Amino acid sequence: MHFAHLALRELVTRLLEEDVGYGDITTLAIVPPQARGHGRLLAKEDLVLAGLEVALAVFQTVDHTSRLDCATADGVLLSAGSVIAEIHGSAQGLLTAERVALNLLQRLSGVATATRRYVDAVRHTQARIIDTRKTTPGLRLLEKYAIRVGGGHNHRFGLGDGVLIKDNHIAIAGGISTAVSLARQAVSHLQKIEVEVEDFTQLQEALTAGADAILLDNMTPEQTREAVRLVRKAPGGEHILLESSGGITLHTAHLYAEAGVDLISVGALTHSAPAVDISLEMTAED
Amino acid sequence: MHFAHLALRELVTRLLEEDVGYGDITTLAIVPPQARGHGRLLAKEDLVLAGLEVALAVFQTVDHTSRLDCATADGVLLSAGSVIAEIHGSAQGLLTAERVALNLLQRLSGVATATRRYVDAVRHTQARIIDTRKTTPGLRLLEKYAIRVGGGHNHRFGLGDGVLIKDNHIAIAGGISTAVSLARQAVSHLQKIEVEVEDFTQLQEALTAGADAILLDNMTPEQTREAVRLVRKAPGGEHILLESSGGITLHTAHLYAEAGVDLISVGALTHSAPAVDISLEMTAED
Amino acid sequence: MHFAHLALRELVTRLLEEDVGYGDITTLAIVPPQARGHGRLLAKEDLVLAGLEVALAVFQTVDHTSRLDCATADGVLLSAGSVIAEIHGSAQGLLTAERVALNLLQRLSGVATATRRYVDAVRHTQARIIDTRKTTPGLRLLEKYAIRVGGGHNHRFGLGDGVLIKDNHIAIAGGISTAVSLARQAVSHLQKIEVEVEDFTQLQEALTAGADAILLDNMTPEQTREAVRLVRKAPGGEHILLESSGGITLHTAHLYAEAGVDLISVGALTHSAPAVDISLEMTAED
Amino acid sequence: MHFAHLALRELVTRLLEEDVGYGDITTLAIVPPQARGHGRLLAKEDLVLAGLEVALAVFQTVDHTSRLDCATADGVLLSAGSVIAEIHGSAQGLLTAERVALNLLQRLSGVATATRRYVDAVRHTQARIIDTRKTTPGLRLLEKYAIRVGGGHNHRFGLGDGVLIKDNHIAIAGGISTAVSLARQAVSHLQKIEVEVEDFTQLQEALTAGADAILLDNMTPEQTREAVRLVRKAPGGEHILLESSGGITLHTAHLYAEAGVDLISVGALTHSAPAVDISLEMTAED
Amino acid sequence: MHFAHLALRELVTRLLEEDVGYGDITTLAIVPPQARGHGRLLAKEDLVLAGLEVALAVFQTVDHTSRLDCATADGVLLSAGSVIAEIHGSAQGLLTAERVALNLLQRLSGVATATRRYVDAVRHTQARIIDTRKTTPGLRLLEKYAIRVGGGHNHRFGLGDGVLIKDNHIAIAGGISTAVSLARQAVSHLQKIEVEVEDFTQLQEALTAGADAILLDNMTPEQTREAVRLVRKAPGGEHILLESSGGITLHTAHLYAEAGVDLISVGALTHSAPAVDISLEMTAED
Amino acid sequence: MHFAHLALRELVTRLLEEDVGYGDITTLAIVPPQARGHGRLLAKEDLVLAGLEVALAVFQTVDHTSRLDCATADGVLLSAGSVIAEIHGSAQGLLTAERVALNLLQRLSGVATATRRYVDAVRHTQARIIDTRKTTPGLRLLEKYAIRVGGGHNHRFGLGDGVLIKDNHIAIAGGISTAVSLARQAVSHLQKIEVEVEDFTQLQEALTAGADAILLDNMTPEQTREAVRLVRKAPGGEHILLESSGGITLHTAHLYAEAGVDLISVGALTHSAPAVDISLEMTAED
């Protein structure tokens, strides 16, 4: 995205400052400033690539003459051994930027790879795989991007761009109906109101309160199927979005999707997707 | 640490801005500003706690009247179900701060918990478990802290406070001996020089070059044992620090430790320690 | 709001830096540091007050010992001559902070006062008065707050928290139907889709495309009445939100409201509401 | 100006962040990244243009490939319907940048247009129209620029670059004479000392105290004429600058100018100049 | 000063970050967090003290519980061996803050001490000792403060708050007369116009052009005396401020002052005043 | 260095803001924006040049079209009258940037020049001249660079990248042995441990404790010679680095070097090296 380019540069600069500190003293001592380097980014396992533009920003922030010749693109499923890109730049720059670039690329590709697996698991249904706010602190926009690259969709970006009424809100408001009505009154007309419910009593209250979306928290696939049936037959129920959440794994996701919900949110896509293995093989240029 | 307090506040503010954006529109709509809240942080699985001060900073940044009554402390091994702390503050503040506080606490405790397991695995030896630079971008200082809380030690904080000569440095310098000599000439007298070696030829060169520390990369436990023997019998070799690195798991760590190295570095401690499960149960106060 | 407090301090600091520069050289030369001052904020015309907390932040940023004893509150309609608050603090601090505090208070109260007039004009209907993105650059959150204080509601806060499909989007997409479908596919399920239409052909297309809200741009009250009729009788049309926009004045607002729209957006509330007159009468304390 | 370019970029980035937030979700969903756009900035009413460079900075911050072909320049009086500039760039970029660019251009041109009217009203005299510190918080440098574009002059930029002794300073100092003397002693020799007076007694005191400039606050044109006479006949009085201020309108400005003052300051130029109407008509390029 | 307090905290934080980096690893390793410390700031040579508030800000930024009991105040001439202040705080905090606090205190007191010597050298005349823009980059406001503490006065704070027309301006303008006239037309009426002249021809031109102040650059005391005579006898010449500058030393300053100039500017006060010796003797508290 | 480029731009921008403030009002008034300028940087005394890249960054930050044609390079010993570089750019830009560029260039070349003198004084020995943390607050990285340009070496960059145990640490720890052991336990294995000693008892303790480096504080050359003898004959003593510090001047440095220490640290290199004289002679271009 256009404007995000600036935000990306700022983030990358901060992350480089974190790693580089007073300067890359090893490289400065050993590598002559005029030496040119060449590197090759390699997938060391099967993965869905995400973050090429981010990696490029890291290399170019350190050395604005560095160039990335991409052999592939974000979103592509690569098999182990595939070349991702060739990098040319100053040898000092490549060495100094390497770790930060890899840390980001491995993490984002990890998120995209995990997302793709969930998306594949429910591809025979209408359900969307969506993310949560359980993202790595400081990397939300990038991880939300990786989710999309993996074929998933984004839930709200933060507390400021979507309404989700949870148990504590309900308790303080004194009921779902009051909570929905307070939210409807206060927020922009462009916002839908989603309510998290834990049982069928709450589900019925959410329906009555006129929720636009309902999050079925920690239900079994069977309960979910029953909840879907209940909602769809209610007046206007066909327009209410239903989201399943809570402890859903790669193995159970399809059961929820087949139960008929519109959305399945998976915190593990961001809070515990393992980084995939990507390496940078470097050689000095003649 | 004293000064770090300021850096912590700045980081926490940035992470809150990421999550809160234009404001917590749900909470602002539903929860009256004067309502007080009470919460209880609970360990939902066995874990080594890390990050209480960080969580407190999150709550207090949102609501400076919030108070954390800790039932335990960083570094303690808690069993599932243990109460970590009680929180009191404005209900709006608790709700708005919750996710960022938990995201951090779960991740840092995850790192500490993983570290403790490795430390326990080599406790019968002299070896230190140490971290790498494969940390979550933006959270390095916090994760390095969690490593220490878990009983591990820190490798260098970044490229600026330690010398580690790797394959690419060696290739560009034209040999280990030149690389070590260039580094020794350029860097502060307070820095030791560590060289990464991949085989016994390089190991011998590093010894000859006078390296202060040697990283044995991707060696088997048997190769490691042989390398230790070789180094220790060399003149001055008893003062050379030996580090094992590369694909070491919780199950193999003890083999390297028993082989006699001083340090075992494990990237997985930070790049793929799963977040542990911690919840915040909230109730409105009367 | 809790977290916004920090953002407010940061904004206020920036605005003070803009005005104070190298220091208030007049005050520093003439007023002894230990002198205490007392001031009285007075409404010099009838107005709806907005921004007391902001003004307090300005005074306290300059002099953290300053104290504001409020005689009234945001949202109250004050008549000319009313005392708004008494301020006590260092005389230097009051003098240095005065202009920035007044600039903000006068502008925000100006927005709230204008909003209240529009709200009163449509009070006998169901229509909400809402704002636009034509806010003062840099003061959007504060002006959106003043809109609410005046009894209005907020449209989206920016491009990131709401979907509004305009003529250029439609032209590039090649039609309303495609545009709505692309948006529905890409954005979070919590976002409604609003489409701006200029005539009845577009209105019909928006209905067919399944827009959640429709902005009737630059229509006459009569056209608006007809548009409302058309939408309400369409299947599901009673749930579609209708917004009037474009050249609506204090004198014509009620005609649109009576025509049956849900929302009337008025750019003039922020881009040309005149600042109201508020003064600070100061006296040195004995 | 050269250095201001950097400050401008920083300001524009902040204002874009305010509007764009998590990203322009509508445009990102509908407009393909590679689509090019073309826009035409049009004056919708008679106006004095101010802010072309600012608008350009907005478009280029969002999309550095965007280009502005200007048909006119800042300071030119345009009639309704005139083309201001043609813009070429990515369609996404134009759409995302549009609102912030227009908000700034309309406001600054509004200030320049209002200023030009006052300047024209006193053109037959020696009086300068000058601004005040009642500027839009955060936009002072830009509005001061628009004042100059409109033919006006700037008063001090802030509290740090000019001395203006007001009633409260006088009260605390215990008299004009002491206040002037304290200021003269403390501030740089390059600063003139201006004193605000409300009546002829104070005027006489300011003369005696050796003020370099005197602000005649809230006087009638007749009182002003008398004050001018009094000052000019005092020894050295021909070198004292006289400024009229307080409630002066477009209709009364000439009376003060004709009374012989050197400067007429008008807060309304910035605190309540209405934004002028400028539109951006966009078309996708083939 | 009130507002400057904030700027001071920001500066001090930046300077601490520069020195502390990843943390004071020595102190953290050795000193227990709960240990309290006590320190005594001592003048190790005769000096004029400047910067106590700055030093306090350093200690309190590191450890907000630290307390400074001052035995004296800024501006006081201390003899070698005098106690400046007693500090109490955490032992970690005192050790971490020490160097930054001393670096600042020694430098600022160095400036004040040098200034006092020059001021004493011309005390029998009317001449003011003033500073230049040859300050330590980043410390201008603090050094300008130290100048005042030493009894000197400040020239302009920067390029934005005073007009000084130099040889290059004159060359580009095509003469002093045009340059003065352009400046008078463009800048605020509160700004005096100072012209730098190198000989008597230029001096005459500056007089004719109506300069408010004239800087006599690199003249001998005799030339200066002649220049003063020439200016004072010109019409209105008694009000023109005369400044001597260029290679004036502690030994020659009085000659210029006795020649009758109003101001003597000395770059060496800031660009080469040696730091004075101040030490911090610390003891752990029981 | 690559990444440092960014940090340099940020620093330079801050320093320009400090000097330029609201804008270079003199230059803006007098010099037309389109005028081109040409300048020549001249050494006005014998000096070792340091900071060309910094000066270039200043000019280019103000005017990105400015160009520096260097006649020499950092580290070269120039005689008075030598041309350093020719500058071409906008006349406004050159004038606005001049003072900040010169302030930095003069100061850094001052540090390099002083360093070179010390380095020359000990050139016949093995001793390194090293710096301290007594640098100009805010300019540490630049001054550490100037030290290297002058032929010196750097001590640690800050408290975070090196361990130096001083008297207060020893006192709190209860002895050198405990202090060294605590540090060895806590810090990274890549850090050597240096201990500051004041007499031979402490020296013996440091030896026993296994310090990697020992700082001999305030010893005479004779004591130093004895200390060297003592250390070298201790087991492993030939590998212990010895540093002399405290009141060492250009005249005594060689005595310490000849006594056999490895390192001589000199605070005066940064805290009181006088700025060297460099001028910028400018001419407008035709």
Side-chain angles (χ1 to χ4, degrees), chain A residues 33-63:
Chain A
Q34 73 282 5
R36 303 296 296 174
H38 164 254
R40 181 174 288 177
L41 284 169
L42 289 176
K44 308 288 281 187
E45 59 177 297
D46 293 359
L47 57 84
V48 175
L49 186 68
L52 263 181
E53 192 188 354
V54 179
L56 177 61
V58 175
F59 286 110
Q60 293 201 333
T61 298
V62 174
D63 167 19

Side-chain angles (χ1 to χ4, degrees), chain F residues 97-120:
Chain F
E98 174 185 9
R99 184 76 268 140
V100 173
L102 285 179
N103 278 0
L104 287 164
L105 202 53
Q106 291 175 335
R107 184 170 295 261
L108 296 180
S109 298
V111 170
T113 303
T115 304
R116 179 69 57 90
R117 291 203 185 103
Y118 276 84
V119 169
D120 285 344

Side-chain angles (χ1 to χ4, degrees), chain F:
Chain F
M1 208 272 289
H2 286 94
F3 180 66
H5 181 68
L6 272 178
L8 181 55
R9 271 295 167 110
E10 195 178 298
L11 173 66
V12 157
T13 300
R14 195 149 27 80
L15 299 181
L16 279 164
E17 283 171 352
E18 181 188 65
D19 192 37
V20 177
Y22 301 115
D24 181 353
I25 55 177
T26 310
T27 296
L28 287 172
I30 294 175
V31 179
Q34 74 282 6
R36 304 295 296 173
H38 164 254
R40 181 174 286 178
L41 284 168
L42 289 176
K44 308 287 282 188
E45 60 178 297
D46 293 0
L47 57 85
V48 175
L49 187 68
L52 264 180
E53 191 188 353
V54 179
L56 176 60
V58 175
F59 286 111
Q60 292 200 335
T61 298
V62 174
D63 167 20
H64 73 276
T65 74
S66 58
R67 195 161 44 81
L68 210 63
D69 296 332
C70 296
T72 180
D74 277 10
V76 173
L77 174 62
L78 299 175
S79 52
S82 305
V83 174
I84 295 170
E86 311 268 343
I87 315 175
H88 298 269
S90 82
Q92 282 191 353
L94 295 192
L95 285 162
T96 300
E98 174 185 9
R99 184 76 268 140
V100 173
L102 285 179
N103 278 0
L104 287 164
L105 202 53
Q106 291 175 335
R107 184 170 295 261
L108 296 180
S109 298
V111 170
T113 303
T115 304
R116 179 69 57 90
R117 291 203 185 103
Y118 276 84
V119 169
D120 285 344
V122 304
R123 201 174 286 284
H124 58 295
T125 72
Q126 302 290 325
R128 286 183 176 186
I129 297 297
I130 61 173
D131 52 31
T132 65
R133 285 167 49 239
K134 296 178 183 174
T135 54
T136 304
L139 302 182
R140 184 165 292 170
L141 280 179
L142 294 184
E143 291 189 347
K144 292 252 169 187
Y145 167 78
I147 292 284
R148 296 195 302 273
V149 163
H153 284 77
N154 298 140
H155 209 299
R156 56 179 174 172
F157 276 79
L159 295 168
D161 69 322
V163 176
L164 180 49
I165 298 175
K166 299 194 165 192
D167 50 356
N168 289 305
H169 297 109
I170 296 168
I172 290 171
I176 288 177
S177 172
T178 315
V180 168
S181 152
L182 284 169
R184 190 79 75 194
Q185 168 61 18
V187 305
S188 159
H189 64 280
L190 286 181
Q191 300 292 347
K192 291 185 184 164
I193 310 282
E194 182 164 9
V195 177
E196 180 180 306
V197 303
E198 288 171 357
D199 55 37
F200 285 79
T201 313
Q202 288 195 317
L203 178 60
Q204 194 55 59
E205 287 174 29
L207 275 174
T208 310
D212 300 307
I214 299 175
L215 186 157
L216 307 169
D217 191 34
N218 277 318
M219 293 200 176
T220 63
E222 293 67 37
Q223 292 172 312
T224 303
R225 189 175 301 271
E226 173 61 12
V228 171
R229 205 186 51 78
L230 226 132
V231 171
R232 293 305 178 226
K233 74 169 195 198
E238 71 276 18
H239 296 307
I240 295 174
L241 294 166
L242 289 173
E243 171 183 353
S244 282
S245 184
I248 301 171
T249 68
L250 188 51
H251 301 296
T252 61
H254 74 99
L255 299 174
Y256 289 89
E258 290 159 0
V261 295
D262 304 286
L263 308 142
I264 298 173
S265 61
V266 184
L269 293 180
T270 49
H271 75 58
S272 53
V276 293
D277 198 0
I278 296 174
S279 75
L280 175 58
E281 292 183 358
M282 224 175 294
T283 52
E285 292 188 342
D286 300 325

Side-chain angles (χ1 to χ4, degrees), chain C residues 49-60:
Chain C
L49 187 67
L52 263 180
E53 191 189 354
V54 179
L56 176 61
V58 174
F59 286 111
Q60 292 200 333

